[in-house]
Amino acid sequence: MISKEDLFYKIGSLEQELIELGAFLHANPELGNEEFQAVDRITTILQNNGFLVEKGLASLETAFRATYTVGTGGPVIGLLCEYDALQDLGHGCGHNLQSPSVLGAAIALSQLEDLPACTIEVLGTPAEETTSGKIPMAQQGYFDHLDIALMMHGGDRTTVDGRSLAVDNFEFVFEGKASHAAVAPEKGISALDGVLMTFNGMEYLREHVRSDVRIHGIITDGGIAANIVPERAAAKFSIRAINRPYLDTVVERALNVARGAALATGTKVHINPIKSLESKLNVQALNDLLLNNAELVKAKNITPPREQTGSTDFSIVTHRVPGACIRVAFVPQGTPNHTKEWVKASNSKEGNEAIMTAAKTMGATCIDVLSSPELLKEIKAQFSAEKEVQNNLVLQ
Ligand SMILES: [Zn+2]
C-alpha cells in the first residue's frame, strides 16, 4: 500500500531545491517560446532524478517531456507545467510556481519504493500567455496517451475550475482612404469610423446574448494625426461563451457587426482570427480528488469550484483526456492576476507554501488514481459522458 505520508515526507525533503527553482524562474522571467533558461534548469533537475528528457516538441523549442516509468502496462500520468512570464511585468501570473510544484510531485512519486506500475510524464508547455503551446502539442498527439492530466496554478483561493470559457480572438483591420480632414474631407473615407461603428454594434449585440457571453475589445490603430482622415484603423476583440456551439453563433453575429460597419462607412474590413480556445471539460471525480487532497494537506482558503472563469489553453487537453487543475491560494482573496501584487507574491513565503501545497495535492491525487483501477475507470467514464454532452449540446 503506497502511503501519502511517505510521499509528503519525500516532497518535504525536496523543499529547498523546489523553492530555489521557483526563485530562479522568478528572477529570470522569460516570454513565451523564449523560456530557454527555465527549460534548461527544470529538465536538468528531472534528468538528475532519473527522468528521461526530450526537449523540443511539436516544433516548439521550449516544450519538453520528461518520463519516468515503473514496470509495464501501468497508467500514464501527465503532470503539466507552464513557465512563461508577462511582457514588462515578469511573473505576474505565478507560472514560476508551476514547475517546482510538478517536480515536487513527480520526483517524490518516482522515489516511492512501492509505486505500482505506471509512467509519470512531466510535460513542459510553453507560451500559455501568448501563442498557447498546448494547442500544437495537442494537435500532434502529445496528450492522447495520458490516462489523466494534472496541473496547478496560483490563485486567490484554493479551488478547482468547473468550467472555463471558450474564446475566439480576432483582429479587425479597416481600410479607408486618406485625405486632409479640413481641406478635403469629402475625398476621404475614415477607417476609424469602421472601427467605431464596430464598437457601437458590439454594444447592441451585447444586450441580446446569453449572460455567460463576454465581448471585449481595444483599438490598436486609430490613425496617425487628427487632421488626416485615417486610411487604416484596427481593433482587437475577444468573444467568449461557456460552450463552443453557442460561441460559434455569437461569433458569426460579431463578425457581421464588423462587416456591417464596413458597409455603412464605405471601408473594407479584413478579419484576422488570432487564437481560439475551447471551454474546459469538467471531470467531477478528478476535481473532487484534488480538492479532498488539498484539504488533507491543509491548503489555505479552500472554496468550491469557481463560477466565474476566463479561458485557458489547458482546455484543449481536457478535450482529449481527463484533466484538472488545482488552484492554490497565495495572494489575498480578490487580488487579480497579471498585477504587481502577483509578481511580488510569486516569490514570497506564501508562494513557496503554495509550491509545497500543490506538490502534495497533485502527488496525493496520483496515489489515489494509481491505487484504485476502479477510480480511474470512473474518471474515464465521467470524461466520456461529459464529452458526449458537450458534443451534442442543445443550443438554448
Ligand atoms: Zn496563468
Side-chain angles (χ1 to χ4, degrees):
M1 184 71 190
I2 36 175
S3 125
K4 290 184 184 176
E5 283 312 312
D6 285 354
L7 177 89
F8 298 156
Y9 178 78
K10 290 202 185 295
I11 292 174
S13 65
L14 294 165
E15 183 168 7
Q16 189 64 24
E17 193 169 20
L18 302 178
I19 284 168
E20 276 172 20
L21 172 61
F24 173 83
L25 299 178
H26 192 270
N28 299 281
E30 296 167 297
L31 296 178
N33 298 313
E34 297 170 12
E35 311 100 318
F36 294 104
Q37 291 186 73
V39 169
D40 265 354
R41 177 98 177 209
I42 297 164
T43 54
T44 300
I45 297 173
L46 285 161
Q47 214 152 16
N48 290 343
N49 282 279
F51 282 72
L52 193 70
V53 171
E54 301 156 76
K55 283 196 241 180
L57 316 172
S59 304
L60 301 164
E61 276 187 89
T62 54
F64 73 85
R65 170 162 65 185
T67 312
Y68 190 96
T69 300
V70 176
T72 50
V76 185
I77 307 259
L79 297 170
L80 278 55
C81 57
E82 300 154 358
Y83 25 74
D84 56 330
L86 293 155
Q87 182 99 44
D88 302 327
L89 194 61
H91 275 291
C93 206
H95 293 182
N96 64 309
L97 306 175
Q98 294 190 16
S99 56
S101 305
V102 159
L103 263 56
I107 294 169
L109 282 167
S110 76
Q111 292 174 350
L112 290 176
E113 275 160 26
D114 41 6
L115 193 68
C118 69
T119 296
I120 301 160
E121 271 192 28
V122 177
L123 285 147
T125 64
E128 192 276 333
E129 302 285 359
T130 52
T131 56
S132 289
K134 293 183 197 71
I135 297 175
M137 289 174 78
Q139 286 165 345
Q140 296 193 31
Y142 280 98
F143 306 115
D144 293 342
H145 62 291
L146 304 177
D147 286 281
I148 60 163
L150 298 177
M151 65 172 285
M152 73 78 73
H153 200 291
D156 67 341
R157 63 201 88 174
T158 300
T159 190
V160 286
D161 293 334
R163 301 288 302 276
S164 69
L165 300 177
V167 59
D168 283 351
N169 298 288
F170 293 96
E171 181 190 38
F172 300 125
V173 181
F174 285 82
E175 229 181 274
K177 192 163 165 262
S179 183
H180 194 290
V183 178
E186 75 282 2
K187 291 185 179 153
I189 299 171
S190 171
L192 182 60
D193 288 353
V195 166
L196 296 177
M197 283 198 72
T198 301
F199 270 84
N200 283 328
M202 293 295 187
E203 293 311 314
Y204 292 117
L205 173 61
R206 193 191 301 285
E207 189 184 346
H208 301 288
V209 292
R210 260 176 15 193
S211 58
D212 56 288
V213 170
R214 297 286 181 273
I215 301 172
H216 42 101
I218 56 166
I219 297 176
T220 52
D221 181 358
I224 44 174
N227 62 359
I228 303 171
V229 174
E231 68 173 345
R232 184 188 189 278
K236 281 184 179 170
F237 273 90
S238 298
I239 304 155
R240 306 181 199 238
I242 201 73
N243 58 53
R244 170 58 56 184
Y246 188 65
L247 178 61
D248 286 346
T249 68
V250 178
V251 163
E252 193 45 38
R253 291 160 72 193
L255 300 188
N256 280 337
V257 166
R259 290 176 190 126
L263 185 66
T265 55
T267 54
K268 266 193 207 154
V269 63
H270 304 275
I271 298 172
N272 304 321
I274 302 173
K275 189 165 89 171
S276 191
L277 298 173
E278 299 311 310
S279 60
K280 184 177 169 289
L281 280 192
N282 182 30
V283 179
Q284 196 57 43
L286 207 47
N287 271 347
D288 289 347
L289 282 182
L290 281 174
L291 271 190
N292 289 342
N293 283 309
E295 246 167 63
L296 178 72
V297 303
K298 299 191 172 50
K300 283 184 184 162
N301 194 14
I302 299 179
T303 63
R306 301 189 309 170
E307 291 297 330
Q308 294 263 7
T309 72
S311 308
T312 164
D313 70 359
F314 184 56
S315 60
I316 196 164
V317 180
T318 69
H319 278 257
R320 283 172 162 74
V321 295
C325 172
I326 182 76
R327 299 199 175 250
V328 180
F330 80 116
V331 291
Q333 193 156 337
T335 313
N337 60 344
H338 294 203
T339 56
K340 289 197 177 90
E341 287 76 16
W342 271 57
V343 176
K344 203 167 162 225
S346 298
N347 185 29
S348 69
K349 186 173 145 281
E350 288 73 21
N352 294 342
E353 282 170 9
I355 290 173
M356 299 306 286
T357 300
K360 290 175 187 170
T361 303
M362 288 188 287
T365 300
C366 294
I367 288 189
D368 287 332
V369 171
L370 292 173
S371 317
S372 168
E374 295 74 35
L375 185 58
L376 185 54
K377 234 188 207 168
E378 169 64 17
I379 287 168
K380 289 186 171 185
Q382 280 189 18
F383 167 70
S384 301
E386 171 78 1
K387 211 168 157 180
E388 189 70 20
V389 169
Q390 288 296 317
N391 288 343
N392 297 301
L393 211 78
V394 178
L395 295 184
Q396 305 162 14

